[in-house]
Amino acid sequence: MSVVFELKEDFSNLPLIVERYEQALADFHTDVNLKGKTIGTANSENPSLLAYYDERRAEVKILLDMTAARLERVKGELWKRYTENHSRDLGPKDKDYYIKCEPEYAKVHKLLLCVQELHSKYVAAVDAFVARGFSLRNITNLRVAQVENGLIT
């Protein structure tokens, strides 16, 4: 099921969703580490681990986009309120300042920052697995070269 359909309209369950994705990152350092693994095992698990973390990165990106859209919606509603209902005419910068001081805006902005942080962690994880793939290729090539240079007795 897509994360789009999991997220409630009022974003009340977003912290729980973020926590679930944080927990999915708990094994990252163990997964990416090559020590104690054979070359064959490391080579065979790399594509599936890369796909696993990249899929979650894409899902978190959707959460990030949805949270940013929510923030813009909150900002738009507050902008409208300050434009139509304020006792004096406010300039755009004044409205921005007032909006950023609103509790609802601050709450959604904080959620956005949490999701941005999570997304950055998943981007780093995916990059680490791409680099791990290059390292595995280099290690494998070195081992093959060692075999080719061996003497037949």
Side-chain angles (χ1 to χ4, degrees):
M1 183 169 150
S2 175
V3 71
V4 172
F5 300 113
E6 278 184 64
L7 190 59
K8 292 181 180 175
E9 185 67 30
D10 64 355
F11 283 56
S12 62
N13 65 335
L14 183 60
L16 295 173
I17 294 172
V18 168
E19 179 61 31
R20 191 178 75 223
Y21 280 95
E22 286 280 356
Q23 289 173 355
L25 271 174
D27 293 334
F28 165 71
H29 292 291
T30 304
D31 290 342
V32 80
N33 194 353
L34 292 173
K35 291 186 180 181
K37 297 178 182 176
T38 66
I39 293 174
T41 300
N43 272 315
S44 65
E45 74 181 8
N46 201 64
S48 62
L49 287 171
L50 175 61
Y52 173 82
Y53 286 101
D54 194 41
E55 181 179 327
R56 271 132 199 87
R57 181 208 50 82
E59 292 168 358
V60 171
K61 176 69 169 111
I62 295 298
L63 281 176
L64 181 61
D65 292 346
M66 290 176 68
T67 309
R70 170 72 177 188
L71 185 65
E72 286 300 312
R73 190 170 92 203
V74 167
K75 184 178 180 179
E77 291 168 358
L78 291 169
W79 186 277
K80 182 179 176 185
R81 190 174 84 200
Y82 280 112
T83 301
E84 295 174 355
N85 300 331
H86 204 270
S87 59
R88 63 186 182 100
D89 193 24
L90 297 172
K93 288 188 178 191
D94 294 329
K95 289 178 191 173
D96 274 339
Y97 179 75
Y98 279 102
I99 288 168
K100 289 177 181 174
C101 292
E102 286 285 337
E104 185 178 357
Y105 181 89
K107 177 184 166 191
V108 177
H109 189 254
K110 184 177 179 180
L111 290 173
L112 177 66
L113 292 175
C114 290
V115 177
Q116 281 177 336
E117 177 186 15
L118 182 63
H119 182 258
S120 295
K121 288 177 181 179
Y122 272 99
V123 167
V126 169
D127 290 346
F129 278 103
V130 170
R132 182 182 191 251
F134 286 121
S135 293
L136 284 169
R137 183 190 65 200
N138 292 340
I139 291 167
T140 303
N141 287 342
L142 286 172
R143 297 293 168 106
V144 168
Q146 283 178 345
V147 169
E148 289 176 354
N149 290 333
L151 294 174
I152 301 174
T153 56

